[in-house]
Amino acid sequence: MTKISKPVINEIEYTADGLKRFAENSVNFNKDIRKYLLDYPTVYIINNKVKNDIYSVYIGETSNIIVRTNQHLISNEINKELAELENINSASMFVVGHEYFNKSLTLDIENKLMHYLSSIDEVDKIYNRRTNQQNKYYTSEYFEDIFSEVWKELRNKNKTLFPLKSIIEDSALFKASPFHKLTYEQISAKNRIYSRVVKSLEDDKIGELILVSGEAGSGKTVLMSNLFYDLKKELAKKIQSKEEVEVYMLVNHDALINVYKQIAKKLDLTSNESLETVLKPTRFINNIQINEPADVVIVDEAHLLWTQGKQAYRGKNQLHDLLKRARVVIAVFDANQILTTEQFWEKDEFEKIKSMSKKNDNYIFLTNQMRIDAEEQTVDWIRNLVDNQIVLNIPNDDKGYEIKIFEDAEKMHAAIKEKSKDQEKGISRIVATFDWEYVDKRKPENEEYWMVKDKNFEIPWNYQLKPTNKSIKYKDVSWAEQPHTINEAGSTYTVQGFDLNYVGVIIGPSVKYRDGKIIFDREASQNRKAKQQRTLKDGSKEYLADFLLKNELNVLITRGIHGLYLYAVDDQLQEVLLKAQQGELENG
């Protein structure tokens, strides 16, 4: 195994005098340091402390750090975004060199630095926002190790600007970043979508639907974030007939919309128009006229769109209304994550839009499962539990993914707490099926909190406990990222669209095991949005709980990247899960 040498990092004052001193002092560098900083390609990070510990950052790469920095300092025309940086006196610049640096590797390092730094609360703005991932090249096999060494050395110089990698990697902002290195499948999908968008705008079409599907964890949000970023930054250059192209990101999910708003703010993707760039579907529909359609609308988690009127929305189907108000709609749809009656699609209606997109070659299905870091047989066990409603013997997983059944919820909570103590192992949380009462915006009559309870164990539902550190504002931070939520139970509405390292699922009484099959009992559920009847288009009413409660279970048990812990309230389900853990099932 090749030992990766440490990078060479020099911090200089980002001024003409600072650059002059760096150039003059370079004659005193030893031969290798001089070579790696002045003769090889380098990566540089210009940073300014705007206020307290809040930074603005510019990241770049160059084959000549002296010439490039001079260009930045002398002429704002080189990059107008640097003007803001130059107005602040505390600017400094880290120059990073390494013996393995070549053009492709420095571009990858630059991209990954943007990924990490744009995910940090202390970084207010990132400049020079290029997505420039490289494919295979000489030294690419050393890229991850070299980046880790670069980050470690930068962290030695400024722990606020360069916190622990593991802390950053756990943030929802990091996981939804447009700077992720895409898989070949995602790149292919992105290129296909991009070319379809360009053609549709050039042909001046209205209501072109591009439908993207794939199961939970197939990388849909990362793909949409990357596409959103590139469309906002590059699309206008591709359409000769338009000086400006409107691109909106719509999400019907409070926590996820906050993540996209942070991305848009940090990367300067916000619009100058009166309507925000990132917003909820109802606000978009109510503000965009049919005779003045927007250019491109991306809808992440489109299965959360409403298919009936509700609150401020007076229409019948939000997707249909979006298609009337946009030239192109890119919708990410997973029918297995529909959770409420108001999101339900009748089969013929959904097949109609699916076939419409297929007919136009606008249907894309992502097959790779990227969240659960497990062997295929482990993923199959989870899919059998949900899709086929059968319990098989739990397989051994050579990749280390852990499926564990606990004898009681308290022991499972203790195990999740242990996992969560180690920052290197990431965020782990308890979640539960919606089988215990919870009413938003009011307290229960005889207790302080709405609780999830079983036998001697009880834990408050999400968003009820107060932060232990009151000096930190958690307004834009996802539920799981808040430290005190280790003592709460999350719901599908809290964790949908987010990853956890280990997830502990309390399977409540609405999920039972009878006659060799998992069944769903709507009478045992407290999820009114899933258990109530839905009026169908023919006027009949139908219970959809079997479909919706199955989806609820699906969302919860597919959150864990490295492990899934389970405890079932139903005695028969708990018994068969414990047998499956011991490999005692005949059908296994």
Side-chain angles (χ1 to χ4, degrees), residues 404 406-422 428-430 457-459 486-488 502-506 565 567:
K404 186 171 182 180
F406 284 78
E407 293 180 357
D408 62 59
E410 189 168 3
K411 288 178 181 175
M412 184 170 74
H413 187 209
I416 288 292
K417 279 184 171 181
E418 279 301 309
K419 289 293 182 187
S420 201
K421 278 181 184 177
D422 187 349
S428 301
R429 288 293 182 268
I430 287 286
F457 175 77
E458 59 180 39
I459 187 172
I486 188 63
N487 292 311
E488 292 182 328
Y502 280 74
V503 61
V505 184
I506 301 173
Y565 292 171
Y567 166 75

PDB file of all heavy atoms in Angstrom, residues 404 406-422 428-430 457-459 486-488 502-506 565 567:
ATOM      1  N   LYS A 404     -30.316  -5.987  13.843  1.00  0.00           N
ATOM      2  CA  LYS A 404     -30.393  -6.568  15.181  1.00  0.00           C
ATOM      3  C   LYS A 404     -31.788  -6.385  15.753  1.00  0.00           C
ATOM      4  O   LYS A 404     -32.365  -5.303  15.661  1.00  0.00           O
ATOM      5  CB  LYS A 404     -29.356  -5.906  16.103  1.00  0.00           C
ATOM      6  CG  LYS A 404     -29.267  -6.552  17.485  1.00  0.00           C
ATOM      7  CD  LYS A 404     -28.083  -5.990  18.267  1.00  0.00           C
ATOM      8  CE  LYS A 404     -27.982  -6.672  19.631  1.00  0.00           C
ATOM      9  NZ  LYS A 404     -26.825  -6.148  20.424  1.00  0.00           N
ATOM     10  N   PHE A 406     -34.123  -6.406  19.109  1.00  0.00           N
ATOM     11  CA  PHE A 406     -33.985  -6.214  20.549  1.00  0.00           C
ATOM     12  C   PHE A 406     -35.198  -6.761  21.293  1.00  0.00           C
ATOM     13  O   PHE A 406     -36.319  -6.752  20.774  1.00  0.00           O
ATOM     14  CB  PHE A 406     -33.807  -4.725  20.866  1.00  0.00           C
ATOM     15  CG  PHE A 406     -32.426  -4.222  20.550  1.00  0.00           C
ATOM     16  CD1 PHE A 406     -32.068  -3.933  19.241  1.00  0.00           C
ATOM     17  CD2 PHE A 406     -31.479  -4.071  21.552  1.00  0.00           C
ATOM     18  CE1 PHE A 406     -30.792  -3.482  18.950  1.00  0.00           C
ATOM     19  CE2 PHE A 406     -30.199  -3.631  21.263  1.00  0.00           C
ATOM     20  CZ  PHE A 406     -29.846  -3.333  19.954  1.00  0.00           C
ATOM     21  N   GLU A 407     -34.946  -7.213  22.507  1.00  0.00           N
ATOM     22  CA  GLU A 407     -36.021  -7.798  23.313  1.00  0.00           C
ATOM     23  C   GLU A 407     -36.949  -6.731  23.880  1.00  0.00           C
ATOM     24  O   GLU A 407     -38.083  -7.038  24.241  1.00  0.00           O
ATOM     25  CB  GLU A 407     -35.422  -8.637  24.449  1.00  0.00           C
ATOM     26  CG  GLU A 407     -34.700  -9.878  23.931  1.00  0.00           C
ATOM     27  CD  GLU A 407     -34.099 -10.699  25.060  1.00  0.00           C
ATOM     28  OE1 GLU A 407     -34.209 -10.258  26.240  1.00  0.00           O
ATOM     29  OE2 GLU A 407     -33.540 -11.762  24.771  1.00  0.00           O
ATOM     30  N   ASP A 408     -36.468  -5.520  24.007  1.00  0.00           N
ATOM     31  CA  ASP A 408     -37.353  -4.435  24.435  1.00  0.00           C
ATOM     32  C   ASP A 408     -36.837  -3.114  23.885  1.00  0.00           C
ATOM     33  O   ASP A 408     -35.670  -2.987  23.484  1.00  0.00           O
ATOM     34  CB  ASP A 408     -37.518  -4.379  25.965  1.00  0.00           C
ATOM     35  CG  ASP A 408     -36.212  -4.121  26.698  1.00  0.00           C
ATOM     36  OD1 ASP A 408     -35.580  -3.075  26.445  1.00  0.00           O
ATOM     37  OD2 ASP A 408     -35.819  -4.969  27.515  1.00  0.00           O
ATOM     38  N   ALA A 409     -37.713  -2.116  23.871  1.00  0.00           N
ATOM     39  CA  ALA A 409     -37.398  -0.824  23.262  1.00  0.00           C
ATOM     40  C   ALA A 409     -36.343  -0.063  24.064  1.00  0.00           C
ATOM     41  O   ALA A 409     -35.543   0.685  23.489  1.00  0.00           O
ATOM     42  CB  ALA A 409     -38.669   0.013  23.149  1.00  0.00           C
ATOM     43  N   GLU A 410     -36.328  -0.259  25.383  1.00  0.00           N
ATOM     44  CA  GLU A 410     -35.361   0.454  26.213  1.00  0.00           C
ATOM     45  C   GLU A 410     -33.928   0.037  25.878  1.00  0.00           C
ATOM     46  O   GLU A 410     -33.033   0.888  25.779  1.00  0.00           O
ATOM     47  CB  GLU A 410     -35.658   0.194  27.694  1.00  0.00           C
ATOM     48  CG  GLU A 410     -34.830   1.059  28.616  1.00  0.00           C
ATOM     49  CD  GLU A 410     -35.327   1.018  30.055  1.00  0.00           C
ATOM     50  OE1 GLU A 410     -36.273   0.275  30.347  1.00  0.00           O
ATOM     51  OE2 GLU A 410     -34.758   1.760  30.876  1.00  0.00           O
ATOM     52  N   LYS A 411     -33.709  -1.272  25.694  1.00  0.00           N
ATOM     53  CA  LYS A 411     -32.367  -1.748  25.330  1.00  0.00           C
ATOM     54  C   LYS A 411     -31.967  -1.231  23.946  1.00  0.00           C
ATOM     55  O   LYS A 411     -30.797  -0.911  23.710  1.00  0.00           O
ATOM     56  CB  LYS A 411     -32.323  -3.274  25.365  1.00  0.00           C
ATOM     57  CG  LYS A 411     -32.364  -3.851  26.776  1.00  0.00           C
ATOM     58  CD  LYS A 411     -32.372  -5.371  26.749  1.00  0.00           C
ATOM     59  CE  LYS A 411     -32.434  -5.926  28.182  1.00  0.00           C
ATOM     60  NZ  LYS A 411     -32.560  -7.409  28.195  1.00  0.00           N
ATOM     61  N   MET A 412     -32.933  -1.165  23.038  1.00  0.00           N
ATOM     62  CA  MET A 412     -32.630  -0.650  21.707  1.00  0.00           C
ATOM     63  C   MET A 412     -32.248   0.827  21.781  1.00  0.00           C
ATOM     64  O   MET A 412     -31.295   1.260  21.130  1.00  0.00           O
ATOM     65  CB  MET A 412     -33.830  -0.847  20.768  1.00  0.00           C
ATOM     66  CG  MET A 412     -33.553  -0.416  19.338  1.00  0.00           C
ATOM     67  SD  MET A 412     -34.848  -0.907  18.182  1.00  0.00           S
ATOM     68  CE  MET A 412     -36.146   0.255  18.632  1.00  0.00           C
ATOM     69  N   HIS A 413     -32.970   1.592  22.587  1.00  0.00           N
ATOM     70  CA  HIS A 413     -32.656   3.012  22.744  1.00  0.00           C
ATOM     71  C   HIS A 413     -31.254   3.188  23.329  1.00  0.00           C
ATOM     72  O   HIS A 413     -30.477   4.055  22.885  1.00  0.00           O
ATOM     73  CB  HIS A 413     -33.698   3.689  23.638  1.00  0.00           C
ATOM     74  CG  HIS A 413     -33.547   5.170  23.725  1.00  0.00           C
ATOM     75  ND1 HIS A 413     -33.923   5.902  24.837  1.00  0.00           N
ATOM     76  CD2 HIS A 413     -33.043   6.077  22.845  1.00  0.00           C
ATOM     77  CE1 HIS A 413     -33.676   7.187  24.626  1.00  0.00           C
ATOM     78  NE2 HIS A 413     -33.129   7.321  23.435  1.00  0.00           N
ATOM     79  N   ALA A 414     -30.896   2.357  24.298  1.00  0.00           N
ATOM     80  CA  ALA A 414     -29.563   2.429  24.904  1.00  0.00           C
ATOM     81  C   ALA A 414     -28.483   2.137  23.867  1.00  0.00           C
ATOM     82  O   ALA A 414     -27.429   2.792  23.853  1.00  0.00           O
ATOM     83  CB  ALA A 414     -29.466   1.442  26.068  1.00  0.00           C
ATOM     84  N   ALA A 415     -28.740   1.157  23.000  1.00  0.00           N
ATOM     85  CA  ALA A 415     -27.765   0.814  21.957  1.00  0.00           C
ATOM     86  C   ALA A 415     -27.610   1.951  20.951  1.00  0.00           C
ATOM     87  O   ALA A 415     -26.504   2.258  20.496  1.00  0.00           O
ATOM     88  CB  ALA A 415     -28.203  -0.467  21.246  1.00  0.00           C
ATOM     89  N   ILE A 416     -28.726   2.599  20.603  1.00  0.00           N
ATOM     90  CA  ILE A 416     -28.679   3.736  19.678  1.00  0.00           C
ATOM     91  C   ILE A 416     -27.918   4.904  20.310  1.00  0.00           C
ATOM     92  O   ILE A 416     -27.133   5.598  19.652  1.00  0.00           O
ATOM     93  CB  ILE A 416     -30.101   4.162  19.262  1.00  0.00           C
ATOM     94  CG1 ILE A 416     -30.713   3.126  18.301  1.00  0.00           C
ATOM     95  CG2 ILE A 416     -30.115   5.547  18.636  1.00  0.00           C
ATOM     96  CD1 ILE A 416     -30.049   3.057  16.936  1.00  0.00           C
ATOM     97  N   LYS A 417     -28.120   5.116  21.603  1.00  0.00           N
ATOM     98  CA  LYS A 417     -27.384   6.165  22.319  1.00  0.00           C
ATOM     99  C   LYS A 417     -25.883   5.908  22.266  1.00  0.00           C
ATOM    100  O   LYS A 417     -25.084   6.834  22.088  1.00  0.00           O
ATOM    101  CB  LYS A 417     -27.856   6.243  23.772  1.00  0.00           C
ATOM    102  CG  LYS A 417     -29.143   7.027  23.993  1.00  0.00           C
ATOM    103  CD  LYS A 417     -29.432   7.113  25.482  1.00  0.00           C
ATOM    104  CE  LYS A 417     -30.576   8.066  25.772  1.00  0.00           C
ATOM    105  NZ  LYS A 417     -30.852   8.169  27.224  1.00  0.00           N
ATOM    106  N   GLU A 418     -25.489   4.648  22.449  1.00  0.00           N
ATOM    107  CA  GLU A 418     -24.068   4.298  22.390  1.00  0.00           C
ATOM    108  C   GLU A 418     -23.495   4.591  21.012  1.00  0.00           C
ATOM    109  O   GLU A 418     -22.393   5.130  20.885  1.00  0.00           O
ATOM    110  CB  GLU A 418     -23.872   2.815  22.739  1.00  0.00           C
ATOM    111  CG  GLU A 418     -23.882   2.516  24.215  1.00  0.00           C
ATOM    112  CD  GLU A 418     -22.795   3.274  24.976  1.00  0.00           C
ATOM    113  OE1 GLU A 418     -21.620   3.221  24.563  1.00  0.00           O
ATOM    114  OE2 GLU A 418     -23.123   3.933  25.976  1.00  0.00           O
ATOM    115  N   LYS A 419     -24.234   4.228  19.979  1.00  0.00           N
ATOM    116  CA  LYS A 419     -23.773   4.492  18.609  1.00  0.00           C
ATOM    117  C   LYS A 419     -23.621   5.991  18.381  1.00  0.00           C
ATOM    118  O   LYS A 419     -22.702   6.439  17.690  1.00  0.00           O
ATOM    119  CB  LYS A 419     -24.768   3.918  17.594  1.00  0.00           C
ATOM    120  CG  LYS A 419     -24.781   2.397  17.507  1.00  0.00           C
ATOM    121  CD  LYS A 419     -23.473   1.864  16.940  1.00  0.00           C
ATOM    122  CE  LYS A 419     -23.505   0.353  16.802  1.00  0.00           C
ATOM    123  NZ  LYS A 419     -22.181  -0.181  16.409  1.00  0.00           N
ATOM    124  N   SER A 420     -24.533   6.759  18.949  1.00  0.00           N
ATOM    125  CA  SER A 420     -24.553   8.205  18.694  1.00  0.00           C
ATOM    126  C   SER A 420     -23.470   8.946  19.471  1.00  0.00           C
ATOM    127  O   SER A 420     -23.142  10.083  19.131  1.00  0.00           O
ATOM    128  CB  SER A 420     -25.926   8.780  19.047  1.00  0.00           C
ATOM    129  OG  SER A 420     -26.141   9.995  18.405  1.00  0.00           O
ATOM    130  N   LYS A 421     -22.899   8.313  20.504  1.00  0.00           N
ATOM    131  CA  LYS A 421     -21.859   8.977  21.301  1.00  0.00           C
ATOM    132  C   LYS A 421     -20.594   9.225  20.501  1.00  0.00           C
ATOM    133  O   LYS A 421     -19.899  10.203  20.717  1.00  0.00           O
ATOM    134  CB  LYS A 421     -21.506   8.113  22.522  1.00  0.00           C
ATOM    135  CG  LYS A 421     -22.446   8.271  23.692  1.00  0.00           C
ATOM    136  CD  LYS A 421     -21.983   7.387  24.839  1.00  0.00           C
ATOM    137  CE  LYS A 421     -22.968   7.439  26.006  1.00  0.00           C
ATOM    138  NZ  LYS A 421     -22.543   6.509  27.092  1.00  0.00           N
ATOM    139  N   ASP A 422     -20.299   8.310  19.596  1.00  0.00           N
ATOM    140  CA  ASP A 422     -19.062   8.380  18.820  1.00  0.00           C
ATOM    141  C   ASP A 422     -19.293   9.223  17.574  1.00  0.00           C
ATOM    142  O   ASP A 422     -19.962   8.796  16.640  1.00  0.00           O
ATOM    143  CB  ASP A 422     -18.614   6.966  18.435  1.00  0.00           C
ATOM    144  CG  ASP A 422     -17.241   6.957  17.776  1.00  0.00           C
ATOM    145  OD1 ASP A 422     -16.736   8.041  17.427  1.00  0.00           O
ATOM    146  OD2 ASP A 422     -16.680   5.865  17.611  1.00  0.00           O
ATOM    147  N   SER A 428     -27.234   8.620  14.925  1.00  0.00           N
ATOM    148  CA  SER A 428     -28.153   7.494  15.030  1.00  0.00           C
ATOM    149  C   SER A 428     -29.347   7.953  15.869  1.00  0.00           C
ATOM    150  O   SER A 428     -29.174   8.700  16.832  1.00  0.00           O
ATOM    151  CB  SER A 428     -27.467   6.292  15.688  1.00  0.00           C
ATOM    152  OG  SER A 428     -26.327   5.900  14.946  1.00  0.00           O
ATOM    153  N   ARG A 429     -30.546   7.497  15.506  1.00  0.00           N
ATOM    154  CA  ARG A 429     -31.746   7.949  16.207  1.00  0.00           C
ATOM    155  C   ARG A 429     -32.800   6.841  16.286  1.00  0.00           C
ATOM    156  O   ARG A 429     -32.813   5.906  15.484  1.00  0.00           O
ATOM    157  CB  ARG A 429     -32.369   9.163  15.500  1.00  0.00           C
ATOM    158  CG  ARG A 429     -31.589  10.467  15.633  1.00  0.00           C
ATOM    159  CD  ARG A 429     -31.567  10.986  17.056  1.00  0.00           C
ATOM    160  NE  ARG A 429     -30.868  12.257  17.203  1.00  0.00           N
ATOM    161  CZ  ARG A 429     -29.558  12.372  17.494  1.00  0.00           C
ATOM    162  NH1 ARG A 429     -28.822  11.282  17.628  1.00  0.00           N
ATOM    163  NH2 ARG A 429     -29.002  13.564  17.638  1.00  0.00           N
ATOM    164  N   ILE A 430     -33.697   7.002  17.266  1.00  0.00           N
ATOM    165  CA  ILE A 430     -34.887   6.153  17.410  1.00  0.00           C
ATOM    166  C   ILE A 430     -36.016   6.761  16.579  1.00  0.00           C
ATOM    167  O   ILE A 430     -36.222   7.982  16.584  1.00  0.00           O
ATOM    168  CB  ILE A 430     -35.322   6.080  18.892  1.00  0.00           C
ATOM    169  CG1 ILE A 430     -34.358   5.210  19.705  1.00  0.00           C
ATOM    170  CG2 ILE A 430     -36.747   5.539  19.025  1.00  0.00           C
ATOM    171  CD1 ILE A 430     -34.481   3.716  19.455  1.00  0.00           C
ATOM    172  N   PHE A 457     -41.267   1.345  28.979  1.00  0.00           N
ATOM    173  CA  PHE A 457     -40.476   2.301  28.203  1.00  0.00           C
ATOM    174  C   PHE A 457     -41.367   3.415  27.661  1.00  0.00           C
ATOM    175  O   PHE A 457     -42.486   3.171  27.212  1.00  0.00           O
ATOM    176  CB  PHE A 457     -39.795   1.587  27.036  1.00  0.00           C
ATOM    177  CG  PHE A 457     -39.053   2.512  26.110  1.00  0.00           C
ATOM    178  CD1 PHE A 457     -37.816   3.020  26.470  1.00  0.00           C
ATOM    179  CD2 PHE A 457     -39.602   2.883  24.883  1.00  0.00           C
ATOM    180  CE1 PHE A 457     -37.124   3.879  25.619  1.00  0.00           C
ATOM    181  CE2 PHE A 457     -38.925   3.739  24.034  1.00  0.00           C
ATOM    182  CZ  PHE A 457     -37.679   4.238  24.393  1.00  0.00           C
ATOM    183  N   GLU A 458     -40.860   4.635  27.716  1.00  0.00           N
ATOM    184  CA  GLU A 458     -41.558   5.741  27.064  1.00  0.00           C
ATOM    185  C   GLU A 458     -40.537   6.786  26.615  1.00  0.00           C
ATOM    186  O   GLU A 458     -39.494   6.974  27.239  1.00  0.00           O
ATOM    187  CB  GLU A 458     -42.627   6.355  27.968  1.00  0.00           C
ATOM    188  CG  GLU A 458     -42.126   6.903  29.286  1.00  0.00           C
ATOM    189  CD  GLU A 458     -43.257   7.483  30.117  1.00  0.00           C
ATOM    190  OE1 GLU A 458     -44.370   6.895  30.135  1.00  0.00           O
ATOM    191  OE2 GLU A 458     -43.030   8.549  30.731  1.00  0.00           O
ATOM    192  N   ILE A 459     -40.870   7.450  25.517  1.00  0.00           N
ATOM    193  CA  ILE A 459     -39.969   8.451  24.936  1.00  0.00           C
ATOM    194  C   ILE A 459     -40.831   9.504  24.236  1.00  0.00           C
ATOM    195  O   ILE A 459     -41.840   9.165  23.605  1.00  0.00           O
ATOM    196  CB  ILE A 459     -38.979   7.782  23.949  1.00  0.00           C
ATOM    197  CG1 ILE A 459     -37.928   8.780  23.468  1.00  0.00           C
ATOM    198  CG2 ILE A 459     -39.697   7.137  22.781  1.00  0.00           C
ATOM    199  CD1 ILE A 459     -36.802   8.132  22.654  1.00  0.00           C
ATOM    200  N   ILE A 486     -31.716  12.822  20.509  1.00  0.00           N
ATOM    201  CA  ILE A 486     -31.383  11.433  20.834  1.00  0.00           C
ATOM    202  C   ILE A 486     -32.375  10.893  21.867  1.00  0.00           C
ATOM    203  O   ILE A 486     -32.578   9.693  21.995  1.00  0.00           O
ATOM    204  CB  ILE A 486     -29.928  11.324  21.370  1.00  0.00           C
ATOM    205  CG1 ILE A 486     -29.495   9.858  21.519  1.00  0.00           C
ATOM    206  CG2 ILE A 486     -29.774  12.072  22.674  1.00  0.00           C
ATOM    207  CD1 ILE A 486     -29.441   9.078  20.230  1.00  0.00           C
ATOM    208  N   ASN A 487     -33.044  11.803  22.576  1.00  0.00           N
ATOM    209  CA  ASN A 487     -34.031  11.400  23.590  1.00  0.00           C
ATOM    210  C   ASN A 487     -35.462  11.577  23.108  1.00  0.00           C
ATOM    211  O   ASN A 487     -36.394  11.679  23.906  1.00  0.00           O
ATOM    212  CB  ASN A 487     -33.801  12.198  24.880  1.00  0.00           C
ATOM    213  CG  ASN A 487     -32.503  11.820  25.549  1.00  0.00           C
ATOM    214  OD1 ASN A 487     -32.215  10.633  25.732  1.00  0.00           O
ATOM    215  ND2 ASN A 487     -31.696  12.807  25.898  1.00  0.00           N
ATOM    216  N   GLU A 488     -35.655  11.629  21.788  1.00  0.00           N
ATOM    217  CA  GLU A 488     -36.991  11.672  21.192  1.00  0.00           C
ATOM    218  C   GLU A 488     -37.123  10.544  20.176  1.00  0.00           C
ATOM    219  O   GLU A 488     -36.136   9.936  19.755  1.00  0.00           O
ATOM    220  CB  GLU A 488     -37.219  13.008  20.478  1.00  0.00           C
ATOM    221  CG  GLU A 488     -37.313  14.208  21.382  1.00  0.00           C
ATOM    222  CD  GLU A 488     -37.587  15.499  20.610  1.00  0.00           C
ATOM    223  OE1 GLU A 488     -37.127  15.624  19.447  1.00  0.00           O
ATOM    224  OE2 GLU A 488     -38.274  16.373  21.158  1.00  0.00           O
ATOM    225  N   TYR A 502     -27.219   4.649  12.135  1.00  0.00           N
ATOM    226  CA  TYR A 502     -28.000   3.508  12.634  1.00  0.00           C
ATOM    227  C   TYR A 502     -29.397   4.030  12.955  1.00  0.00           C
ATOM    228  O   TYR A 502     -29.543   5.105  13.532  1.00  0.00           O
ATOM    229  CB  TYR A 502     -27.384   2.917  13.908  1.00  0.00           C
ATOM    230  CG  TYR A 502     -26.214   2.005  13.658  1.00  0.00           C
ATOM    231  CD1 TYR A 502     -24.979   2.522  13.280  1.00  0.00           C
ATOM    232  CD2 TYR A 502     -26.330   0.621  13.798  1.00  0.00           C
ATOM    233  CE1 TYR A 502     -23.892   1.698  13.043  1.00  0.00           C
ATOM    234  CE2 TYR A 502     -25.250  -0.214  13.568  1.00  0.00           C
ATOM    235  CZ  TYR A 502     -24.030   0.335  13.188  1.00  0.00           C
ATOM    236  OH  TYR A 502     -22.965  -0.494  12.952  1.00  0.00           O
ATOM    237  N   VAL A 503     -30.399   3.260  12.592  1.00  0.00           N
ATOM    238  CA  VAL A 503     -31.770   3.641  12.923  1.00  0.00           C
ATOM    239  C   VAL A 503     -32.376   2.543  13.793  1.00  0.00           C
ATOM    240  O   VAL A 503     -32.245   1.346  13.503  1.00  0.00           O
ATOM    241  CB  VAL A 503     -32.625   3.862  11.652  1.00  0.00           C
ATOM    242  CG1 VAL A 503     -32.732   2.616  10.794  1.00  0.00           C
ATOM    243  CG2 VAL A 503     -34.012   4.392  12.013  1.00  0.00           C
ATOM    244  N   GLY A 504     -32.988   2.956  14.891  1.00  0.00           N
ATOM    245  CA  GLY A 504     -33.710   2.021  15.754  1.00  0.00           C
ATOM    246  C   GLY A 504     -35.198   2.239  15.566  1.00  0.00           C
ATOM    247  O   GLY A 504     -35.715   3.306  15.896  1.00  0.00           O
ATOM    248  N   VAL A 505     -35.903   1.236  15.032  1.00  0.00           N
ATOM    249  CA  VAL A 505     -37.317   1.393  14.682  1.00  0.00           C
ATOM    250  C   VAL A 505     -38.200   0.661  15.698  1.00  0.00           C
ATOM    251  O   VAL A 505     -38.094  -0.570  15.850  1.00  0.00           O
ATOM    252  CB  VAL A 505     -37.606   0.849  13.270  1.00  0.00           C
ATOM    253  CG1 VAL A 505     -39.061   1.123  12.891  1.00  0.00           C
ATOM    254  CG2 VAL A 505     -36.661   1.468  12.244  1.00  0.00           C
ATOM    255  N   ILE A 506     -39.045   1.431  16.376  1.00  0.00           N
ATOM    256  CA  ILE A 506     -40.093   0.835  17.213  1.00  0.00           C
ATOM    257  C   ILE A 506     -41.280   0.582  16.302  1.00  0.00           C
ATOM    258  O   ILE A 506     -41.941   1.519  15.844  1.00  0.00           O
ATOM    259  CB  ILE A 506     -40.486   1.758  18.383  1.00  0.00           C
ATOM    260  CG1 ILE A 506     -39.275   2.054  19.265  1.00  0.00           C
ATOM    261  CG2 ILE A 506     -41.612   1.114  19.203  1.00  0.00           C
ATOM    262  CD1 ILE A 506     -39.534   3.096  20.347  1.00  0.00           C
ATOM    263  N   TYR A 565     -31.879  -1.442  13.684  1.00  0.00           N
ATOM    264  CA  TYR A 565     -32.291  -2.083  14.924  1.00  0.00           C
ATOM    265  C   TYR A 565     -33.816  -2.102  14.963  1.00  0.00           C
ATOM    266  O   TYR A 565     -34.459  -1.102  14.619  1.00  0.00           O
ATOM    267  CB  TYR A 565     -31.753  -1.318  16.134  1.00  0.00           C
ATOM    268  CG  TYR A 565     -30.241  -1.383  16.314  1.00  0.00           C
ATOM    269  CD1 TYR A 565     -29.612  -0.568  17.261  1.00  0.00           C
ATOM    270  CD2 TYR A 565     -29.448  -2.251  15.560  1.00  0.00           C
ATOM    271  CE1 TYR A 565     -28.234  -0.620  17.438  1.00  0.00           C
ATOM    272  CE2 TYR A 565     -28.074  -2.311  15.739  1.00  0.00           C
ATOM    273  CZ  TYR A 565     -27.473  -1.492  16.681  1.00  0.00           C
ATOM    274  OH  TYR A 565     -26.112  -1.544  16.859  1.00  0.00           O
ATOM    275  N   TYR A 567     -37.510  -3.377  17.096  1.00  0.00           N
ATOM    276  CA  TYR A 567     -38.288  -3.929  18.200  1.00  0.00           C
ATOM    277  C   TYR A 567     -39.759  -3.796  17.816  1.00  0.00           C
ATOM    278  O   TYR A 567     -40.197  -2.727  17.387  1.00  0.00           O
ATOM    279  CB  TYR A 567     -38.035  -3.191  19.516  1.00  0.00           C
ATOM    280  CG  TYR A 567     -39.067  -3.531  20.568  1.00  0.00           C
ATOM    281  CD1 TYR A 567     -39.036  -4.762  21.222  1.00  0.00           C
ATOM    282  CD2 TYR A 567     -40.110  -2.656  20.854  1.00  0.00           C
ATOM    283  CE1 TYR A 567     -40.014  -5.104  22.153  1.00  0.00           C
ATOM    284  CE2 TYR A 567     -41.084  -2.972  21.784  1.00  0.00           C
ATOM    285  CZ  TYR A 567     -41.032  -4.201  22.426  1.00  0.00           C
ATOM    286  OH  TYR A 567     -42.011  -4.541  23.339  1.00  0.00           O
TER     287      TYR A 567
END
